[in-house]
Amino acid sequence: MPRVLIVGDHADHYRQLLEPMDLPDWHASYLASVADAHDSMADVEILFGPPDELVPLLPRCPQLQWAQSSWAGVAPLVEAPRRDYRLTGVKGIFGELMREYVLGWLLALERNIPTRAADRTWQPAVDGRLGGKCLGIMGTGSIGSAVAQAAQGFGLQVRGLNSDGRPSPGFNECFDTASALAFAQGLDYLVALLPATDATNGLISPQVLAVLQPGAVFMNAGRANCVATADLEAALTGGNLRAVVLDVLPCEPLPDDHPLWNLDNFYITSHTAAPTLADSVVALFAGNYRRFVAGQPLLHAIDFDRGY
C-alpha cells in the first residue's frame, strides 16, 4: 500500500476528489502548507502537488519513488539535486483552453474589438482579418498543436518551432531552434508556448523580433524566460510590433505601479491563459496512480536533463 502525500493550498480539495475514485491500495494524507511538514514522512512513496512546495520535502522522503506535479511547469524539481525518482508533469489538458486564449486575442486585435468597444463614435473603417496571414508558434507539443489546428480553421498559415524541426499536427512547416530567424521571417503573429529550460532562455532575441512583419503581434503564454520584457517594449514603442500580449512575466504578480501597465497596446492577462483545473489534474494523477500500482509506465514523464 503506497503512501501518498498531497501538498499545497488545494491539497484537501484534491484528496476529496480522489477518495470516491476507488483507487487500489489507496492511503493518502495531505499538507496544506510545507510549514506543516513533520518527521513522519519516511514511508512516503508518492508526492503530489506544486513543484516549489515539493522541493523542500524531497530530503524528508527517503522512500520517494514518484512525484506528480500539479502544475505544467516543473522547473523547481528539475533544478533540485535529487533525481532518484520518477517525475511526471501535467500535460494534455491545456490545449483547448490555450487555443481559446490565443485565437480569442488574435481575433480581438485584428478586428479592433478593444478599440471599437471603447469608442463612442461611428467608425465605418474596415478591420483586418486573420485569413491569409502567417502565425508562428514556438512550441509544437500538444498545446501548440491544438492552437495550430484551430488556427488553420481561420485560414492562417502556421509555422512551428521546436528543438529539432520535427513535423507536428496542424503545422504547415516546422523549424528547429537553430533556424529561429528563418522561422520568424515575415510572421504576422508570433506566439510563444515554450517551457522554461536552458535551451529556451532568451530564444526570442531582438534579431528575431526585427524580422517579423512590421506591425506584427507578439504573444507569450508559455514561460517568461524566452524573451526580455525590455526588448518587447523597445519593439512596441519603435513600431515593429503593434501589440504585445503577455500572460507570463518575470515577476508575478506584476506590481500595480509597474510602468508596463501604462504602455499602449501592451496587454497583461495575469497568468490566466490556461489555468490548471482541479478535476483535470486530479484525473491525470489518478490515472498515473493506477499505472504506478500496476507497475506500468507513467504518462507524461519528465526528462530531468531536458527539463520537460
Side-chain angles (χ1 to χ4, degrees):
M1 179 182 293
R3 185 178 170 205
V4 180
L5 182 62
I6 309 171
V7 181
D9 292 343
H10 304 292
D12 190 35
H13 180 47
Y14 288 171
R15 182 180 60 83
Q16 292 175 32
L17 291 172
L18 287 160
E19 283 180 349
M21 291 186 176
D22 194 27
L23 296 172
D25 299 326
W26 181 246
H27 175 59
S29 56
Y30 76 97
L31 286 172
S33 169
V34 174
D36 298 330
H38 45 78
D39 294 328
S40 60
M41 293 187 288
D43 60 345
V44 169
E45 296 178 53
I46 300 171
L47 288 172
F48 174 30
D52 61 340
E53 297 196 48
L54 297 187
V55 167
L57 299 180
L58 295 178
R60 302 186 183 212
C61 302
Q63 301 301 315
L64 180 67
Q65 296 185 40
W66 164 40
Q68 170 70 61
S69 170
S70 59
W71 295 352
V74 292
L77 288 165
V78 168
E79 293 165 1
R82 185 174 178 183
R83 294 187 169 187
D84 62 344
Y85 64 95
R86 285 171 283 178
L87 173 61
T88 53
V90 177
K91 299 181 181 180
I93 65 173
F94 300 112
E96 182 177 342
L97 291 167
M98 192 63 78
R99 73 189 181 198
E100 291 178 358
Y101 177 87
V102 172
L103 271 299
W105 269 102
L106 292 184
L107 286 166
L109 292 170
E110 201 59 60
R111 301 302 300 267
N112 289 313
I113 290 174
T115 301
R116 289 192 177 278
D119 209 331
R120 292 296 179 266
T121 61
W122 190 261
Q123 296 290 343
V126 176
D127 297 319
R129 59 190 301 265
L130 299 183
K133 294 185 177 175
C134 193
L135 164 66
I137 300 175
M138 292 178 136
T140 66
S142 60
I143 296 175
S145 184
V147 175
Q149 291 177 74
Q152 291 214 359
F154 287 90
L156 283 158
Q157 292 290 308
V158 189
R159 297 179 196 164
L161 184 94
N162 54 43
S163 59
D164 55 9
R166 63 192 177 278
S168 188
F171 293 91
N172 298 102
E173 56 182 336
C174 289
F175 296 74
D176 60 29
T177 50
S179 306
L181 286 177
F183 157 80
Q185 185 70 48
L187 290 175
D188 298 289
Y189 315 109
L190 175 59
V191 174
L193 301 175
L194 296 164
T197 69
D198 289 342
T200 62
N201 283 336
L203 185 58
I204 304 171
S205 63
Q207 291 77 20
V208 167
L209 296 174
V211 299
L212 300 175
Q213 185 74 13
V217 171
F218 174 79
M219 189 183 312
N220 189 6
R223 290 293 180 262
N225 67 305
C226 66
V227 65
T229 307
D231 292 340
L232 294 176
E233 183 177 355
L236 183 65
T237 56
N240 196 50
L241 293 175
R242 65 181 167 97
V244 171
V245 181
L246 295 186
D247 191 55
V248 289
L249 289 133
C251 175
E252 294 181 7
L254 193 66
D256 292 343
D257 60 352
H258 198 286
L260 287 181
W261 291 116
N262 300 316
L263 279 177
D264 289 339
N265 295 336
F266 201 106
Y267 304 96
I268 297 169
T269 57
S270 308
H271 213 138
T272 58
T276 304
L277 303 178
D279 289 353
S280 297
V281 73
V282 165
L284 187 151
F285 170 78
N288 256 347
Y289 175 83
R290 293 182 188 277
R291 286 174 167 270
F292 178 88
V293 172
Q296 298 173 345
L298 303 181
L299 300 178
H300 313 310
I302 300 297
D303 183 318
F304 282 100
D305 291 326
R306 297 179 70 181
Y308 59 93

